[in-house]
Amino acid sequence: MPFQINVHAQDRILEVVYPPQVTSEDLAEYLAEVKKAIVGFGGEWSALVDQSQLRVMPPDVVGAMATLNAYAQLHGMQRSARVVTDAPSGLQAWRMTKRAMLTIPTRTFETRTDALEWLRNPDAD
């Protein structure tokens, strides 16, 4: 599976790294695996989504990710950080967040380090 999924159990962070391109097969496998990880937290957790390699998210992927984010929020996601490399990617991440109707704190970052820092220190806002 081209998506990389890492669970940081101590920090209760689910980290996902997107591949440069997403196929329907990759997406189906990813959705199944990430839902298992979400359920595995059994409570509150945060998401770190690295979209820095992904240039364009096809419309079907945007819809699937919006649905997944809504599911995630209903299953304990408290904060969501996205790593993007340019303005179009940031806008795409914002649109997906809006489509998912997330009510949790969400931010985009240019580096993984900054995103992790924000997730690990929620009181530092």
Side-chain angles (χ1 to χ4, degrees), residues 1-9 12-19 25-41 45-50 53 65 68 112:
M1 174 174 66
F3 285 90
Q4 296 173 28
I5 300 172
N6 302 306
V7 175
H8 302 266
R12 300 190 59 78
I13 295 172
L14 175 61
E15 179 178 9
V16 176
V17 180
Y18 280 46
E25 183 179 284
D26 297 338
L27 181 60
E29 187 177 349
Y30 165 70
L31 293 173
E33 290 301 313
V34 83
K35 284 182 178 181
K36 286 180 195 173
I38 289 170
V39 171
F41 280 114
W45 56 279
S46 295
L48 170 58
V49 181
D50 185 339
Q53 296 181 68
M65 294 306 176
L68 177 62
R112 177 182 181 272

Side-chain angles (χ1 to χ4, degrees), residues 5-120:
I5 300 172
N6 302 306
V7 175
H8 302 266
Q10 181 177 352
D11 294 321
R12 300 190 59 78
I13 295 172
L14 175 61
E15 179 178 9
V16 176
V17 180
Y18 280 46
Q21 295 180 323
V22 178
T23 67
S24 295
E25 183 179 284
D26 297 338
L27 181 60
E29 187 177 349
Y30 165 70
L31 293 173
E33 290 301 313
V34 83
K35 284 182 178 181
K36 286 180 195 173
I38 289 170
V39 171
F41 280 114
E44 296 181 353
W45 56 279
S46 295
L48 170 58
V49 181
D50 185 339
Q51 296 174 309
S52 60
Q53 296 181 68
L54 182 65
R55 294 294 167 237
V56 177
M57 194 180 300
D60 62 322
V61 175
V62 172
M65 294 306 176
T67 300
L68 177 62
N69 273 269
Y71 172 90
Q73 181 172 279
L74 289 172
H75 290 87
M77 183 170 67
Q78 297 297 299
R79 293 165 74 84
S80 180
R82 292 186 177 29
V83 178
V84 298
T85 56
D86 54 28
S89 297
L91 180 58
Q92 186 168 254
W94 176 81
R95 284 184 182 146
M96 189 278 310
T97 299
K98 184 176 178 182
R99 187 170 176 179
M101 295 187 285
L102 295 181
T103 58
I104 60 168
T106 60
R107 285 188 54 189
T108 56
F109 296 88
E110 293 181 359
T111 70
R112 177 182 181 272
T113 301
D114 290 342
L116 275 172
E117 180 67 24
W118 181 72
L119 292 173
R120 288 179 174 148

